[in-house]
Amino acid sequence: MAGEPVNVNEFQELARQALPKMYYDYYTGGAEDQHTLKENVESFRRIIIRPRILVDVSKIDMSTTILGHKTSAPIMIAPTAMHKLAHHEGEVATARGAAACDVIMGLSYMSTCTVEEVASSCNAVRFFQIYVYKRRDITALMVHRAEKNGFGAIILTADTPRLGRREADIKNKVDVDSRISFNNCDARIHAITPKIKFLEYQTLRSCFSQVMQTEMFMLTDRSTNKTLQDKGSNIEALAAGTFDASLCWKDIEWLKSITKLPILIKGILTSEDAIKAIEAGVAGIIVSNHGARQLDYAPATISVLEEVVHAVQGKVPVFYDGGVRRGTDIFKALALGAKAVLIGRAVIYGLAAKGELGVKQVIQMLKDEFELTMALSGCCSVDDITRSHVKTEKERFICRM
Ligand SMILES: Cc1cc2nc3c(=O)[nH]c(=O)nc-3n(C[C@H](O)[C@H](O)[C@H](O)COP(=O)(O)O)c2cc1C
Ligand SMILES: CCCCCCC(=O)C(=O)O
């Protein structure tokens, strides 16, 4: 590629050049046939924008308010794991990029910088994403650390009782550089099982590979010495050992009992679950298929956004993620009822290509594209973006009949 990157796809190419194949594949990949992965992006292309002309667009205001936090644009950074695999400064660089653009940073439970490091690195508004461990006390500790360090909300990821099957990670035998550790969750070593308590904690905590060995140890049936789970990737095995697959709706009550922070639930794809989420008392919903990394042949996220928005009836804000690569995508999601969008891979591409500067450039690029889309569509503020500004494929099909 000649010159500076001019769009997210070009940042993706820079990330590909910068990263070892194993990590690039981990970041870009989706589950199984990657059908949903393609659809997450393609479905946006099938939605067209209905622009209005001769509107005074000399001043465009992209700002909005998310759970009471004023932000420069309806954009948040999606929680994604292990940023130190993309850049040595990890989530600290990402958070600084978010702060520079005045957007909210979502920090993953599986981050490689701690909540304390991220909190002290910049003044970005931060939300903390959690997976719920079998060992609830560890998750509670993480929630309290986030609360103590000024995080503004908890994002409960609810679509991951087990990790999706990402075949590239299996083939690549994905593993992590021994200098990197899950610093945020070093307590997670305890989470695997009380059975491993006799193993030396300090030797276990240092890196992912060692966690893997521990995990494999734990998954071995001592009587036969046969590994109980050896078909998935290392990451899948680790998730199987730590994540609580029994998590269900009643557990939101538990989460509410341990924190005063507002709770966003991430991973809603149906009206049925949206209604349950509201009954459970969440402060907001994130319509997400986890970047198509969980259930393949789940719907493209943008195709179900409206179903969820209708079910929610304005009771709580609805956020969106999946496949956002352009400012026009952000505009379309807002027109279909999202309050804001979360950006996953695009931010990682920026981070891998240029660290903090790359994160900043990717977000700024998306903001610039979004602002231009607003101007060319005749919208001066985010409230001016309405359902009538887009036409879905289904509507176009009905029009033709
Ligand atoms: C490499 C990678 C790691 C992710 N890690 C997490 C995570 O730790 N927690 C989580 O809730 N979601 C995680 N996600 C899902 C994102 O939060 C988000 O739903 C998704 O990336 C949005 O799609 P996009 O990448 O097309 O923007 C991850 C996604 C990717 C690509
Ligand atoms: C036990 C490590 C699991 C990391 C999972 C991160 C994630 O959600 C992803 O999609 O990858």
Side-chain angles (χ1 to χ4, degrees), residues 96 150 263 308 333:
R96 288 185 175 143
I263 296 165
V308 173

Side-chain angles (χ1 to χ4, degrees), residues 345-358:
R345 291 180 181 84
V347 165
I348 298 176
Y349 298 148
L351 180 67
K354 300 186 185 193
E356 176 185 335
L357 177 67

Side-chain angles (χ1 to χ4, degrees), residues 205-342:
R205 74 169 288 259
S206 61
C207 73
F208 190 71
S209 308
Q210 287 166 337
V211 177
M212 291 307 169
Q213 285 161 19
T214 312
E215 185 60 24
M216 289 309 157
F217 170 86
M218 194 222 124
L219 293 168
T220 302
D221 179 339
R222 306 279 161 261
S223 55
T224 60
N225 226 16
K226 206 168 170 291
T227 304
L228 300 178
Q229 179 178 335
D230 56 5
K231 294 195 193 76
S233 72
N234 288 332
I235 295 183
E236 227 178 301
L238 186 56
T242 50
F243 294 5
D244 185 353
S246 76
L247 189 75
C248 52
W249 287 106
K250 68 173 171 36
D251 295 314
I252 293 183
E253 210 44 58
W254 164 76
L255 187 55
K256 280 168 40 188
S257 78
I258 62 161
T259 183
K260 292 201 168 31
L261 291 177
I263 296 165
L264 301 180
I265 187 163
K266 176 168 179 283
I268 299 280
L269 291 172
T270 62
S271 55
E272 292 91 325
D273 279 349
I275 289 164
K276 283 187 184 151
I278 289 167
E279 285 166 2
V282 301
I285 284 175
I286 304 175
V287 180
S288 171
N289 58 24
H290 207 113
R293 295 161 74 78
Q294 288 297 101
L295 178 66
D296 201 16
Y297 298 96
T301 330
I302 196 67
S303 71
V304 293
L305 171 60
E306 219 176 0
E307 169 182 333
V308 173
V309 167
H310 284 154
V312 166
Q313 294 178 338
K315 289 177 185 144
V316 296
V318 175
F319 303 98
Y320 173 89
D321 80 28
V324 175
R325 304 289 183 270
R326 285 283 186 189
T328 47
D329 298 339
I330 302 171
F331 184 92
K332 290 170 185 177
L334 262 64
L336 291 169
K339 176 80 181 160
V341 303
L342 291 83

